[in-house]
Amino acid sequence: MIGSGALPAPNRRCPWSHRTRRGADLALAIPLFLVETAWLVLDRMFGLGLEVWAAQGGKAQVDTATT
């Protein structure tokens, strides 16, 4: 009969299908996490500073920017 036998799966080599070592993953993940955390901290600091600067000393605008 035609098609009655099980055909073996094709042997394809996909470079993205192999697992990486845990050390390599951590070596990339930790610096990325630290960069993202630093980015958020700096964005919060400088964003608030620019809002206060843009308020030009207006007490109500400064209070709105800080809350």
Side-chain angles (χ1 to χ4, degrees):
M1 292 174 134
I2 297 175
S4 63
L7 297 174
N11 190 6
R12 294 184 188 160
R13 303 290 291 177
C14 299
W16 57 87
S17 67
H18 299 292
R19 294 184 53 90
T20 57
R21 295 186 316 254
R22 186 171 304 249
D25 285 341
L26 289 175
L28 183 63
I30 291 172
L32 283 176
F33 177 75
L34 294 175
V35 165
E36 181 178 355
T37 302
W39 180 269
L40 290 174
V41 168
L42 290 174
D43 182 47
R44 177 73 178 158
M45 285 175 23
F46 288 122
L48 177 62
L50 288 175
E51 287 178 11
V52 171
W53 175 77
Q56 297 292 321
K59 178 72 171 143
Q61 291 176 339
V62 171
D63 290 339
T64 302
T66 58
T67 57

